[in-house]
Amino acid sequence: MSKALLYTILIFTITQIAVWFQTNGQFIWDWCKNNSFILSLFGIPISFGYIYATRFAFEAFNGLLWPGRLLGFALGIISFTILTNYYMGEGITPKVVVSLILATALVCIQAFWK
């Protein structure tokens, strides 16, 4: 696995987690519910995360955009599932399991299929 691909996965994962807290924190903590404007300002560093993850993905996949997009999507599904289950108590249904398997397959295809 190349260094660029490793950075892509790391930055996309961190950024997807940050977005989850930015958008869903309002259902967990009153501070997030009462400070939407301040919370929206976190969109600036989050945007930089997406920009850099996309840049590294573009490098890792030899100038192709689709693999990075699919990788970011899949990592978002995986992080969303874990965080929603942990913080919101939403169970992992058979439908979610199939979605996770498909998301994992997307990550593996993009990371390892040459």
Side-chain angles (χ1 to χ4, degrees), residues 9-73:
I9 292 169
L10 180 66
I11 296 170
F12 265 139
T13 300
I14 291 168
T15 305
Q16 294 283 10
I17 291 169
V19 167
W20 192 94
F21 283 108
Q22 182 189 36
T23 57
N24 298 306
Q26 64 184 319
F27 307 119
I28 302 168
W29 302 293
D30 285 336
W31 185 91
C32 291
K33 186 188 300 184
N34 299 327
N35 294 283
S36 334
F37 179 76
I38 294 169
L39 200 56
S40 72
L41 296 177
F42 287 103
I44 295 169
I46 287 169
S47 293
F48 277 107
Y50 282 126
I51 289 167
Y52 281 102
T54 302
R55 185 176 298 165
F56 283 118
F58 189 77
E59 178 186 331
F61 296 112
N62 302 314
L64 299 174
L65 287 173
W66 269 111
R69 176 65 186 105
L70 293 171
L71 186 58
F73 167 76

Side-chain angles (χ1 to χ4, degrees), residues 7 38 57 69-71 79 88 99-101 103 111:
Y7 287 153
I38 294 169
R69 176 65 186 105
L70 293 171
L71 186 58
S79 62
M88 304 301 290
S99 297
L100 282 173
I101 291 168

Side-chain angles (χ1 to χ4, degrees), residues 58-113:
F58 189 77
E59 178 186 331
F61 296 112
N62 302 314
L64 299 174
L65 287 173
W66 269 111
R69 176 65 186 105
L70 293 171
L71 186 58
F73 167 76
L75 292 168
I77 293 295
I78 293 167
S79 62
F80 182 89
T81 301
I82 293 167
L83 292 168
T84 302
N85 179 264
Y86 183 79
Y87 284 98
M88 304 301 290
E90 290 186 28
I92 298 179
T93 64
K95 181 176 165 182
V96 171
V97 170
V98 170
S99 297
L100 282 173
I101 291 168
L102 291 171
T104 303
L106 276 174
V107 171
C108 291
I109 288 168
Q110 296 306 318
F112 302 114
W113 188 341

